Amino acid sequence: MNSYLTSISGYPRIGEKREWKRSIEKYWSGETKQTDFLQEMKELRLGYLRTQKEKGIDMIPVGDFSLYDHILDTAAMFGLVPERFEYDGGSVSLDLYFQMARGSKQAVAMEMTKWFNTNYHYIVPELNKCTPSLVHNRPLDLFLEAKNEAGITGKPVVISPFTFVKLGKGYMPEEFGSTVYALLPHYETVIRELSEAGADWIQIDDPSLQFTLTEEEKEIVTHVYEALSKAKGTSRLLIQTYFDSIDDYTFVTSLPVDGFGLDFVHDRGENASSIEENGFPEEKVLFAGVINGRNIWRADVREKWELLKSMTTYTSEDRLIIQPSCSLLHVPVTTESETKMPEFLKEGLAFANEKLDELQLLQSALREKELLDYVAPVIPGRDRVHVQKEVKQAELDAGDRSRPFAERQVLQREKFQLPLLPTTTIGSFPQTTEVRKKRQQWRKNELSATDYASFIEQETKKWIDIQEKLDLDVLVHGEFERTDMVEFFGEKLKGFYFTQFAWVQSYGSRCVKPPVIYGDVEFIHEMTVKETVYAQSLTSRPVKGMLTGPVTIFNWSFVREDVPKATVMNQIALALRKEVKALEKQGIYMIQVDEPAIREGLPLKKRNEQEYLNYAVKAFKLSVSTVEPDTQIHTHMCYSDFEKIIDSISAMGADVISIETSRSHGELISAFESYHYDKEIGLGVYDIHSPRVPMKEEIIQNIHRALRVLDPKQFWVNPDCGLKTRKEEETVAALQVMVEAAKEVREQIKVTV
Ligand code: GLN
Ligand code: ZN
């Protein structure tokens, strides 16, 4: 039967137990020979295809698999290797490929950045002097491999030249078109060869088509698809979009291809409305992304069934394909690995493989309506957990501090008596292998809780002494008791579940395991008070309390879809507020609430940004608003691009904020030329991502650069981010230089002011 076929646009790479990661890292460390490594990768790849086949998926993607990142694969396939790697043509070797991603002794790695609004990161193509040639038809190889070795006629996946160049850098805006056109003939070859090899559908990922396009862009896109459709032979081309709705729906759906893939989950209903208003082009195939490819909850099959049925008004059953909203790269592999998970929760979850089951279920129920009666009418696990606790209006109203910042500042200055340009750090100090080892032992019950706690105290004491010797003005306890800034709090709050294997790829071989927020988030007991109070007892200088903020905890977790985002964030905020108050009660008068991930949650389209920022700012304010006016609230943010949301950052009302600057290349600093920021602020004065110890002159220069746009009375001196990943020696050396630099500038300012 040819109606309601199922399709997948991408499958997770990492394997059920992160076999992929382990294999890659072993190769990097020299433990595995190249041939063995490639064989291991091939087995994984074919295994993934077989799983999809067994689960009855009709259109299985090939070429979505990667040894690092699919954008890097595309650059390598066209020989787009930056000059510094001294590449001299031909197919890019495996080692060169990894060097591009990770750097080599001679050449720094290519830049990495966020993949749209996900937590996946891709390698940014460097397209200056772009002279591409097709050095390896990678999708073709993978197509043939699937066909010959697994008997699967796969659906090759390529990233469109338009999106590829959009995501790249190194060309002037006016060179955009010529850069796309330089690639085009090579894309034509890729498509032609795939067609000759017998590909039926070819998926061209073009997520950048969802934004409002300029006339010039439309012309380029039209030209691209005209050329590709000439090259396609008997194959059919699919333009695949994801993560949001298509703004220029009628333009995109008039392009000369055979099918369009639309996201019906993250589109705020806009894609369905566009179809209702404008219809769907006859003879074309609609790939309907109805299963959420970015979350882990089981789908409401009945609701999806209705949506798909409604689409048959606009397209016929044999031109309607059911698929997830995007590649399954963004979800873990299978709930089957979760042997410790309570049944009620497991029943409500669908990771990648369970989503394949859902597609099949939907297909059967669409073909035979009676089957729908056998589908559980509610979503079992989720429904059995009682959410949501009312967040009371009275609590929500208390979003503002009792006194305005100007008054708080006076009180706080009096209380803390800090010098001009106070020095501090972001929170964590190096986590040595010993710290990690002790934690492991404690978790395995090989070390008693008291012994572990006293080890943490020792470590804290050591670093309080170091900080005093360094003469830092505001100290931290060092975060030795934490592995991960979300996990630490999630494990202590109600409503969170930590899985065993629900990893997703973040970048390269690095994976993250976001917790699942399945129920009401509530404060149960104090989480940080003991360690912080202990650290404070060792010194007369202020020690900052250190919490992870509600927006970051939210953005780095899997969150339910049936509860409004703002509700979950506010629940987290109200739980954290109790911790903030507990710290204050115990004499901790500087409290830092970190929000490194605030920018990550920003929607893709400008028109939707404000709504998110409003509730993010609100949640942050809720968590800190009830402290006394002379208690100083700090916050910290990292990753670049803050200049765009600077007024929301200001609206959070933190008395002191520290922001990373080294990766924003001065853009952030220049934002303060036009934006008057009135609170206290520390723009990171050195980059902690490198082991290099900065020179005093560099730091002095960085401070002066900031002081051109900020008042010395509002400026703090601190590193860019936490120091957890650095070595002890380099950390001490760098901080020493930083403190000396701050002292020198204080002297200089005294003379000149
Ligand atoms: N306080 C945290 C630390 O220092 C902040 C980490 C972060 O910004 N991601 O590690
Ligand atoms: Zn940071």
Side-chain angles (χ1 to χ4, degrees):
M1 208 193 303
N2 256 346
S3 63
Y4 303 111
L5 294 180
T6 53
S7 179
I8 294 290
S9 50
Y11 186 80
R13 300 162 183 160
I14 63 175
E16 283 175 30
K17 304 266 163 75
R18 285 183 300 157
E19 308 78 316
W20 176 85
K21 169 201 176 71
R22 258 179 240 117
S23 200
I24 293 177
E25 289 176 357
K26 268 195 184 157
Y27 176 68
W28 287 345
S29 71
E31 265 178 78
T32 325
K33 284 201 311 240
Q34 192 175 117
T35 42
D36 295 340
F37 168 64
L38 292 174
Q39 185 59 31
E40 284 168 20
M41 288 292 122
K42 183 172 166 177
E43 275 159 26
L44 285 181
R45 191 160 59 223
L46 289 171
Y48 301 162
L49 297 180
R50 290 192 185 107
T51 303
Q52 295 173 71
K53 191 176 174 184
E54 280 158 22
K55 297 265 185 192
I57 300 302
D58 299 306
M59 299 183 196
I60 298 171
V62 292
D64 57 320
F65 181 89
S66 178
L67 301 180
Y68 199 96
D69 162 51
H70 52 281
I71 300 299
L72 179 63
D73 293 333
T74 311
M77 146 175 162
F78 294 117
L80 296 169
V81 183
E83 230 168 319
R84 61 185 180 280
F85 292 96
E86 296 177 354
Y87 157 77
D88 48 14
S91 127
V92 172
S93 72
L94 184 63
D95 291 340
L96 176 56
Y97 172 85
F98 283 136
Q99 279 171 13
M100 288 160 75
R102 309 173 67 225
S104 66
K105 281 214 182 73
Q106 294 81 24
V108 292
M110 292 170 74
E111 188 191 328
M112 179 176 80
T113 198
K114 238 170 107 63
W115 177 244
F116 296 91
N117 58 352
T118 71
N119 287 338
Y120 177 80
H121 300 75
Y122 70 93
I123 299 286
V124 181
E126 294 179 28
L127 303 173
N128 33 328
K129 294 196 226 137
C130 177
T131 45
S133 64
L134 182 63
V135 298
H136 174 208
N137 191 343
R138 184 177 181 277
L140 178 66
D141 273 7
L142 295 172
F143 175 79
L144 293 174
E145 179 188 86
K147 200 167 169 182
N148 299 336
E149 311 216 12
I152 291 172
T153 304
K155 174 186 54 164
V157 180
V158 293
I159 190 90
S160 93
F162 178 71
T163 291
F164 180 72
V165 177
K166 274 255 160 207
L167 297 178
K169 65 174 187 185
Y171 56 87
M172 303 295 284
E174 62 273 17
E175 294 167 328
F176 177 74
S178 58
T179 312
V180 173
Y181 293 148
L183 280 156
L184 194 51
H186 308 293
Y187 266 95
E188 290 170 43
T189 311
V190 171
I191 302 289
R192 192 175 312 111
E193 291 179 359
L194 281 169
S195 166
E196 284 161 10
D200 177 9
W201 278 98
I202 301 171
Q203 174 182 323
I204 305 177
D205 280 7
D206 217 344
S208 296
L209 282 188
Q210 62 196 301
F211 300 105
T212 305
L213 305 170
T214 63
E215 284 312 310
E216 197 203 337
E217 284 172 336
K218 285 186 187 169
E219 215 172 282
I220 295 167
V221 169
T222 307
H223 186 82
V224 164
Y225 284 104
E226 277 170 359
L228 296 184
S229 78
K230 278 191 199 127
K232 73 173 186 180
T234 54
S235 298
R236 292 181 281 179
L237 299 184
L238 155 67
I239 293 182
Q240 182 62 50
T241 65
Y242 32 79
F243 304 149
D244 212 318
S245 62
I246 297 183
D247 288 352
D248 285 315
Y249 172 81
T250 46
F251 166 73
V252 172
T253 51
S254 68
L255 290 165
V257 294
D258 308 279
F260 301 98
L262 309 187
D263 184 330
F264 285 105
V265 176
H266 300 101
D267 65 330
R268 297 163 193 260
E270 290 168 5
N271 278 336
S273 315
S274 292
I275 292 180
E276 280 157 24
E277 269 166 46
N278 306 288
F280 189 76
E282 260 176 70
E283 310 294 317
K284 305 273 158 116
V285 178
L286 175 60
F287 287 69
V290 293
I291 299 284
N292 194 342
R294 296 182 56 173
N295 212 339
I296 52 165
W297 302 101
R298 194 167 272 227
D300 184 336
V301 170
R302 283 159 184 269
E303 184 196 304
K304 306 294 175 190
W305 188 94
E306 296 288 343
L307 174 65
L308 289 161
K309 267 289 172 207
S310 77
M311 285 299 139
T312 55
T313 319
Y314 309 97
T315 186
S316 57
E317 296 174 3
D318 57 343
R319 290 206 200 93
L320 184 57
I321 314 285
I322 324 164
Q323 65 177 15
S325 61
C326 60
S327 166
L328 298 176
L329 184 66
H330 309 289
V331 289
V333 181
T334 173
T335 59
E336 271 171 30
S337 311
E338 301 299 324
T339 52
K340 296 184 183 156
M341 187 182 276
E343 257 332 287
F344 79 86
L345 183 57
K346 205 181 212 173
E347 280 175 5
L349 297 179
F351 297 173
N353 287 354
E354 291 73 33
K355 288 181 195 292
L356 304 184
D357 293 334
E358 291 182 335
L359 291 175
Q360 229 194 354
L361 187 66
L362 263 172
Q363 182 181 56
S364 314
L366 282 160
R367 287 176 178 173
E368 243 174 289
K369 183 162 194 287
E370 299 72 59
L371 287 174
L372 198 59
D373 297 337
Y374 295 98
V375 175
V378 291
I379 308 145
R382 224 199 281 175
D383 225 54
R384 253 183 258 169
V385 183
H386 164 71
V387 166
Q388 49 181 316
K389 180 174 162 269
E390 275 309 301
V391 178
K392 288 192 222 81
Q393 198 52 41
E395 291 177 306
L396 289 176
D397 286 341
D400 283 309
R401 299 279 293 269
S402 61
R403 308 270 282 271
F405 174 70
E407 288 175 29
R408 301 200 302 266
Q409 192 178 31
V410 174
L411 296 172
Q412 290 168 14
R413 282 205 172 130
E414 220 161 89
K415 180 167 181 167
F416 298 116
Q417 298 288 327
L418 297 173
L420 201 62
L421 309 177
T423 53
T424 190
T425 61
I426 305 305
S428 61
F429 280 124
Q431 291 229 343
T432 54
T433 32
E434 206 197 348
V435 174
R436 283 178 233 266
K437 209 173 88 197
K438 294 272 187 204
R439 182 159 39 241
Q440 281 307 320
Q441 287 174 342
W442 164 65
R443 289 211 159 151
K444 286 189 201 148
N445 277 327
E446 289 164 14
L447 187 72
S448 73
T450 25
D451 287 350
Y452 175 64
S454 73
F455 170 76
I456 296 290
E457 285 194 348
Q458 253 177 53
E459 212 52 22
T460 307
K461 177 162 188 345
K462 175 177 139 192
W463 279 91
I464 290 286
D465 292 346
I466 295 176
Q467 293 174 83
E468 286 200 320
K469 274 204 203 88
L470 284 167
D471 204 14
L472 284 157
D473 301 306
V474 171
L475 314 191
V476 295
H477 78 288
E479 302 182 24
F480 300 105
E481 72 287 8
R482 310 180 188 178
T483 1
D484 174 283
M485 60 190 296
V486 170
E487 185 186 63
F488 179 79
F489 291 93
E491 281 180 341
K492 295 180 167 53
L493 290 166
K494 213 174 120 192
F496 286 74
Y497 183 79
F498 286 84
T499 60
Q500 289 165 275
F501 299 104
W503 298 91
V504 285
Q505 188 188 0
S506 170
Y507 65 87
S509 69
R510 201 182 140 107
C511 304
V512 292
K513 188 157 66 77
V516 180
I517 303 183
Y518 68 93
D520 283 316
V521 177
E522 277 173 77
F523 177 94
I524 312 170
H525 48 65
E526 290 173 357
M527 302 177 276
T528 64
V529 178
K530 196 172 120 284
E531 287 85 358
T532 319
V533 167
Y534 171 72
Q536 184 64 84
S537 75
L538 304 170
T539 177
S540 57
R541 303 179 191 221
V543 171
K544 286 189 279 189
M546 199 56 66
L547 309 176
T548 304
V551 188
T552 296
I553 292 183
F554 179 96
N555 283 340
W556 285 349
S557 302
F558 284 119
V559 183
R560 288 171 57 147
E561 295 157 3
D562 58 332
V563 182
K565 285 182 181 170
T567 302
V568 182
M569 247 187 230
N570 288 338
Q571 283 191 353
I572 306 173
L574 293 174
L576 289 171
R577 178 202 279 191
K578 295 199 172 132
E579 183 70 12
V580 169
K581 284 303 276 181
L583 283 167
E584 187 185 42
K585 201 164 155 222
Q586 296 294 320
I588 304 299
Y589 299 123
M590 284 190 184
I591 300 167
Q592 179 171 314
V593 179
D594 289 328
E595 287 292 15
I598 196 158
R599 221 199 71 84
E600 269 182 31
L602 213 59
L604 282 176
K605 296 185 182 175
K606 198 149 189 58
R607 60 176 181 268
N608 302 322
E609 281 182 358
Q610 207 49 50
E611 184 197 3
Y612 162 79
L613 288 169
N614 288 349
Y615 62 72
V617 168
K618 172 89 185 177
F620 181 87
K621 289 190 357 186
L622 273 182
S623 65
V624 299
S625 57
T626 48
V627 296
E628 296 302 318
D630 61 352
T631 293
Q632 190 169 66
I633 296 296
H634 290 234
T635 188
H636 165 73
M637 295 178 187
C638 32
Y639 313 106
S640 52
D641 269 3
F642 284 114
E643 49 287 359
K644 288 186 200 140
I645 58 165
I646 193 92
D647 37 354
S648 296
I649 291 177
S650 177
M652 289 163 65
D655 300 302
V656 184
I657 183 172
S658 62
I659 311 190
E660 172 181 314
T661 46
S662 61
R663 285 189 283 189
S664 73
H665 310 289
E667 280 151 25
L668 180 62
I669 296 187
S670 42
F672 292 106
E673 278 167 16
S674 47
Y675 187 85
H676 175 68
Y677 191 80
D678 60 345
K679 294 166 227 48
E680 303 194 4
I681 181 165
L683 300 175
V685 295
Y686 78 87
D687 181 10
I688 58 92
H689 299 93
S690 141
R692 182 175 162 269
V693 175
M695 299 206 306
K696 192 166 73 182
E697 288 65 36
E698 287 167 34
I699 296 191
I700 292 181
Q701 212 179 2
N702 285 341
I703 299 176
H704 278 304
R705 193 153 80 134
L707 292 185
R708 267 185 255 144
V709 291
L710 293 163
D711 186 333
K713 291 207 189 77
Q714 71 182 138
F715 196 72
W716 286 61
V717 174
N718 50 256
D720 248 352
C721 194
L723 297 158
K724 186 157 89 184
T725 54
R726 294 270 61 91
K727 298 234 154 51
E728 173 174 338
E729 232 179 57
E730 51 202 48
T731 300
V732 173
L735 288 176
Q736 193 168 358
V737 176
M738 185 187 88
V739 173
E740 279 169 23
K743 287 181 179 167
E744 208 165 304
V745 180
R746 276 176 207 155
E747 283 307 309
Q748 292 169 356
I749 292 179
K750 239 191 237 158
V751 181
T752 52
V753 174

